[in-house]
Amino acid sequence: MEQFIVRSTTKKQTVVCEDNLESMEAKSKCYLFDGKFFKIINVSDDGKNISAECQYCFKTVNGQKSSTGNFLSHIKFKHSYLMEQVKAAKTAKAVKKNVQSFKKQETLPFLHSNKISKQKIIDLTFAYIVEEMRPLVTCEKPAFKRLVKGLCGLDDATSLPDRRVMSKELNNKYISYITILTDLIAKQNFICTTADIWSCNNKSYLGMTCHFIDEHTYVRYSYILGCRRIKGSHTYFNITETMNEITHTYNIQNSKISHTVTDNASNFGKAFRTYSLKSIGQESLNINSDNWFGDETTCDDDHNTGEEIDYCSADFDTIDWSTMVQNSEDMESDDICLPDHITCSAHTLSLIATVDVDKISDKCYTINSKSAFSKLCSFWNLLSRSTVASDRVYDICGCKFPVPVVTRWNSSFDAVKKIIAHKETVISSFNDLKLQQLKKKDWSFLEEYCLVMEPLATSLDKIQAEKSCFLGYVAPTIISLRLLLIQQTNLTYCRCLALSIINSLEKRFNFIFDLENIKSKPYIIASISHPKFKLSWVPARYLTVCKNIFLSECNSMNSVMNSDSIEYYSADSDEEFYGILTQSKYSLGHSAAESVHLNNDTSNGTTVQALSYFDSKNKDLSMLNTFPSVKRVFFKYNTTLPSSAPVERLFSSGSQILTPRRNRLQDKTFEMLLCCRCLMKENC
């Protein structure tokens, strides 16, 4: 049997079912009437006025349903000690409401788009334009408007954004990107940057990317720093000025940058020799020495064109000590300074495969090479120019054949390799297209060519990897490559090709084979600090030198930084490629701690830790958890990438934005689009 309670008011009596009052309390959106602070005891006929009983003093308080002023005042003056609980209850109610609202929106069918807010439409439209690299004016295209209106169920276009809204959103996202990346970089101990110059639509841009390794997962993260217009000639001063401008945007100090990686262009080399204080000091000290610390390519003051030049025949700049001091003072006054610099190892390998190989003077090799490649070039040219020929070859071979690209040597190797893999059908295609057939001698030459070039192509692929490669891969990779080429003794047509590559490796990477060269230091420490290699790649005659350099660096780092704990992460396995190191004279064959007499005090904790690291057989990066001193050294040197490939990938994205039809796109807008696309991909 239901119980009824009669409450008297100033105007009239209202009879309310007690069950209905409890139901009203349960459905009430106000945090005050949940039964903890007040309990509703009466509601007027129109539902606007309510009476509630305080649960602490049992006094009846009257007020309006839409206003909680009277009830809050009662608690404030009569029960002030409850105010903190009231605030907490209000916050909890708001959080619960937001969660319920979010879950409700997630369960709504997409076609019920009348529930989508205007800001949601703006966000989705902006994400589509940036990720798909579309013009901002796309949002004003009639077809796009019809699509959004149809999906959202809108009757008019008032909720649809225009290009002005998109421009404002782009600017806000770019500012957010700079803020986020600046804070992220500030938390890192070391970062690496890459830089290069790219031209498109008669404009030149200097692109920069930054990279760092997460100290808890060993995962490498990459971000765009900028792709800024560089006007005028690509002189070393313009390059330096633009690079400083980009790094200052993110408040990056040069001391935080482990290295900046560029290609072998002479203007980049001169920029770093002139404005990198460390390089200047070492350049003046080694100007007449074979142990050159600078770039692999050198140039005179007039060489600012960015051309790749042969370091073997170039003249060195002579710098007077007083001039160096004066330049240092100018740098400090103008706040123009560059970090340490290394050249791209992948680019150097590419130069070996193209420039150096073209200089082979052996007559027999030249005749065979010209005979085979002239016939292949006729085949590739026909495929690229004739759709009929391309379709006919596809019908015969069942696949497409890639056409080599001048700027990428790997494409030539891949193209030849695919020709050999489809030898029988290619012969039929040559007959069908009435092309000059490859002779048996040509096929033998091409097979040997691929056999010699495959280790070089594998080395390039390893060094150009962005996520899984470190500076420590360079020395073991180059040494393994040389040993693999030396082992290829059963060659008839390409013996001089293998010898040419070996000679070029020894010249261009002389600091890898002469480990007493001052330029070798970062490569030595980076490789030894990587658990995959340790000392396995070091020649016996350099073992003492390399080990002392590494231990000295560990002791130096230990006095500056504190150790952090690192979580588990496994390194990739490349046993097949690097296995040759353990089969050669480079293998130590016994305990590292026993193989070399050291001048260091073995009672030193850091030295003992490093020696234990050498003796460990674990090759996973996670093993650095046990050796914090070695871990610090690893991060300092292996944060650096051995290749500038990431900035070239940036230009690939840029070419899809800066198309010929968008040649009036403003430089700042272009840069913002690239950066925001990086932010979108990171959030995906």
Side-chain angles (χ1 to χ4, degrees):
M1 179 178 179
E2 294 183 343
Q3 298 180 359
F4 292 88
I5 300 176
V6 179
R7 301 292 183 188
S8 58
T9 63
T10 56
K11 295 184 178 179
K12 55 185 176 181
Q13 288 185 339
T14 304
V15 180
V16 183
C17 176
E18 187 173 55
D19 292 342
N20 291 340
L21 290 176
E22 293 177 356
S23 176
M24 183 174 291
E25 289 174 357
K27 295 180 180 179
S28 176
K29 296 181 179 180
C30 183
Y31 60 96
L32 291 175
F33 306 129
D34 60 355
K36 181 178 179 181
F37 302 102
F38 289 96
K39 184 176 181 180
I40 298 175
I41 58 176
N42 191 24
V43 182
S44 63
D45 290 338
D46 55 10
K48 295 182 179 180
N49 299 318
I50 60 175
S51 298
E53 184 180 74
C54 176
Q55 297 301 292
Y56 293 89
C57 64
F58 302 102
K59 181 179 179 180
T60 301
V61 181
N62 299 318
Q64 295 182 349
K65 186 179 179 181
S66 59
S67 175
T68 58
N70 290 351
F71 305 100
L72 284 175
S73 297
H74 174 78
I75 294 178
K76 184 176 181 180
F77 294 107
K78 299 294 184 179
H79 314 288
S80 58
Y81 61 94
L82 295 174
M83 289 303 296
E84 290 297 326
Q85 298 182 32
V86 170
K87 292 179 181 179
K90 183 178 180 181
T91 303
K93 186 76 173 181
V95 171
K96 184 178 179 181
K97 180 181 178 182
N98 291 336
V99 171
Q100 291 175 346
S101 175
F102 176 79
K103 290 182 177 179
K104 184 178 180 182
Q105 289 180 6
E106 287 294 303
T107 58
L108 284 175
F110 180 73
L111 291 178
H112 294 174
S113 327
N114 56 330
K115 301 295 183 181
I116 297 180
S117 65
K118 183 177 181 179
Q119 185 59 44
K120 184 67 173 178
I121 295 175
I122 293 174
D123 292 340
L124 292 173
T125 302
F126 179 79
Y128 166 75
I129 288 175
V130 172
E131 290 182 41
E132 295 301 319
M133 295 174 284
R134 307 297 301 169
L136 296 181
V137 75
T138 299
C139 61
E140 296 183 355
K141 299 291 184 181
F144 185 82
K145 287 185 175 181
R146 289 196 299 271
L147 174 67
V148 177
K149 286 170 62 178
L151 292 175
C152 297
L154 301 176
D155 297 328
D156 54 52
T158 55
S159 298
L160 301 182
D162 55 21
R163 75 179 79 182
R164 290 183 294 274
V165 175
M166 289 292 99
S167 296
K168 184 179 179 181
E169 189 74 11
L170 177 63
N171 187 65
N172 292 337
K173 294 289 186 183
Y174 178 66
I175 294 174
S176 175
Y177 176 81
I178 291 178
T179 304
I180 293 172
L181 187 54
T182 301
D183 294 340
L184 202 56
I185 291 174
K187 297 176 182 178
Q188 309 305 317
N189 292 321
F190 302 102
I191 68 168
C192 164
T193 60
T194 66
D196 200 359
I197 295 177
W198 169 65
S199 297
C200 182
N201 293 339
N202 299 321
K203 297 178 180 179
S204 296
Y205 297 88
L206 188 144
M208 288 189 71
T209 63
C210 75
H211 312 265
F212 59 84
I213 304 172
D214 186 270
E215 294 190 1
H216 300 287
T217 62
Y218 284 97
V219 175
R220 188 185 293 278
Y221 291 92
S222 304
Y223 294 90
I224 298 171
L225 287 179
C227 192
R228 205 149 294 182
R229 178 79 180 275
I230 179 170
K231 297 184 179 181
S233 300
H234 302 168
T235 63
Y236 70 95
F237 181 77
N238 284 343
I239 290 173
T240 303
E241 197 173 36
T242 307
M243 291 177 66
N244 269 270
E245 183 183 333
I246 293 175
T247 54
H248 287 168
T249 301
Y250 299 89
N251 298 325
I252 302 175
Q253 298 177 352
N254 287 329
S255 59
K256 187 183 288 286
I257 302 176
S258 58
H259 291 94
T260 295
V261 188
T262 71
D263 59 19
N264 295 30
S266 59
N267 47 7
F268 274 108
K270 184 170 179 60
F272 283 93
R273 286 198 305 276
T274 305
Y275 289 103
S276 176
L277 188 58
K278 179 177 179 180
S279 295
I280 291 175
Q282 291 175 340
E283 182 177 88
S284 63
L285 293 174
N286 296 279
I287 195 66
N288 296 317
S289 172
D290 292 335
N291 293 338
W292 182 255
F293 182 77
D295 305 314
E296 294 172 26
T297 58
T298 56
C299 63
D300 294 331
D301 288 352
D302 332 326
H303 297 163
N304 296 309
T305 59
E307 297 178 355
E308 300 152 7
I309 59 178
D310 189 353
Y311 74 98
C312 300
S313 59
D315 296 328
F316 294 111
D317 295 336
T318 302
I319 297 180
D320 183 69
W321 178 260
S322 59
T323 304
M324 187 196 73
V325 174
Q326 182 63 39
N327 288 341
S328 301
E329 293 175 355
D330 293 341
M331 278 188 289
E332 293 177 0
S333 60
D334 296 337
D335 196 27
I336 294 179
C337 188
L338 293 177
D340 293 343
H341 173 235
I342 64 168
T343 52
C344 174
S345 298
H347 187 245
T348 305
L349 284 176
S350 183
L351 291 177
I352 292 174
T354 53
V355 177
D356 295 350
V357 167
D358 287 343
K359 293 179 181 179
I360 296 176
S361 58
D362 184 85
K363 188 175 181 180
C364 182
Y365 172 83
T366 304
I367 293 173
N368 292 329
S369 176
K370 186 175 181 180
S371 173
F373 279 102
S374 62
K375 296 170 185 176
L376 290 182
C377 286
S378 299
F379 176 65
W380 290 324
N381 288 337
L382 185 59
L383 292 182
S384 61
R385 295 173 182 173
S386 172
T387 57
V388 175
S390 179
D391 292 339
R392 185 60 185 156
V393 170
Y394 184 82
D395 292 338
I396 296 173
C397 301
C399 64
K400 292 283 186 180
F401 288 92
V403 178
V405 180
V406 178
T407 56
R408 291 289 179 271
W409 170 81
N410 271 30
S411 64
S412 299
F413 171 78
D414 293 337
V416 174
K417 193 174 181 181
K418 190 159 188 178
I419 290 285
I420 294 174
H422 296 79
K423 179 178 178 179
E424 299 300 328
T425 54
V426 167
I427 292 174
S428 301
S429 299
F430 272 60
N431 286 329
D432 190 86
L433 299 175
K434 298 181 180 180
L435 294 173
Q436 186 179 1
Q437 278 286 356
L438 289 162
K439 298 178 181 179
K440 184 178 180 180
K441 189 176 182 180
D442 295 329
W443 284 110
S444 299
F445 171 82
L446 292 175
E447 288 171 358
E448 282 196 7
Y449 176 86
C450 288
L451 183 65
V452 172
M453 286 299 194
E454 187 155 18
L456 181 57
T458 303
S459 301
L460 265 172
D461 292 339
K462 290 181 180 297
I463 290 178
Q464 289 182 129
E466 186 173 338
K467 297 293 184 183
S468 59
C469 194
F470 307 89
L471 184 64
Y473 272 63
V474 175
T477 299
I478 299 304
I479 291 175
S480 295
L481 172 59
R482 179 176 175 272
L483 292 174
L484 289 169
L485 290 171
I486 290 175
Q487 286 187 352
Q488 294 184 1
T489 56
N490 299 323
L491 298 174
T492 304
Y493 302 99
C494 294
R495 181 60 182 167
C496 60
L497 174 63
L499 292 175
S500 174
I501 296 174
I502 292 171
N503 291 333
S504 296
L505 285 172
E506 292 173 351
K507 290 180 181 179
R508 291 187 179 270
F509 291 98
N510 66 312
F511 54 90
I512 298 298
F513 301 103
D514 177 15
L515 295 179
E516 292 182 349
N517 190 320
I518 191 170
K519 188 180 178 180
S520 306
K521 180 180 177 181
Y523 297 91
I524 293 171
I525 299 175
S527 297
I528 295 178
S529 64
H530 197 296
K532 181 187 227 21
F533 305 111
K534 297 177 184 174
L535 291 167
S536 63
W537 62 276
V538 181
R541 65 184 180 277
Y542 293 116
L543 192 57
T544 302
V545 174
C546 293
K547 202 167 185 182
N548 280 322
I549 289 174
F550 178 73
L551 293 175
S552 176
E553 186 66 24
C554 287
N555 284 302
S556 176
M557 289 288 292
N558 189 54
S559 63
V560 178
M561 301 177 65
N562 296 320
S563 62
D564 299 319
S565 60
I566 307 290
E567 294 185 8
Y568 183 84
Y569 175 79
S570 296
D572 294 330
S573 177
D574 295 308
E575 296 300 329
E576 185 176 351
F577 184 83
Y578 296 110
I580 192 169
L581 295 173
T582 61
Q583 302 169 11
S584 67
K585 62 182 179 180
Y586 291 85
S587 176
L588 299 181
H590 45 75
S591 171
E594 299 173 355
S595 61
V596 179
H597 172 72
L598 299 173
N599 295 325
N600 302 72
D601 182 5
T602 54
S603 64
N604 182 293
T606 303
T607 302
V608 172
Q609 187 180 122
L611 293 175
S612 301
Y613 162 76
F614 291 146
D615 289 331
S616 173
K617 295 182 179 180
N618 191 344
K619 294 184 178 181
D620 294 338
L621 289 177
S622 61
M623 63 95 67
L624 293 176
N625 300 338
T626 317
F627 309 100
S629 297
V630 179
K631 182 208 66 173
R632 298 189 208 103
V633 175
F634 172 86
F635 276 104
K636 180 179 179 180
Y637 287 90
N638 280 291
T639 295
T640 300
L641 283 167
S643 166
S644 60
V647 73
E648 296 181 13
R649 297 186 184 105
L650 165 64
F651 296 150
S652 297
S653 298
S655 63
Q656 298 179 58
I657 297 176
L658 200 62
T659 59
R661 293 185 62 183
R662 302 178 69 183
N663 58 0
R664 291 184 295 175
L665 185 66
Q666 294 183 2
D667 299 330
K668 187 64 177 178
T669 303
F670 170 63
E671 184 177 20
M672 289 193 295
L673 285 169
L674 274 177
C675 292
C676 288
R677 186 169 184 267
C678 178
L679 181 64
M680 295 286 184
K681 290 173 66 177
E682 190 67 24
N683 292 333
C684 288

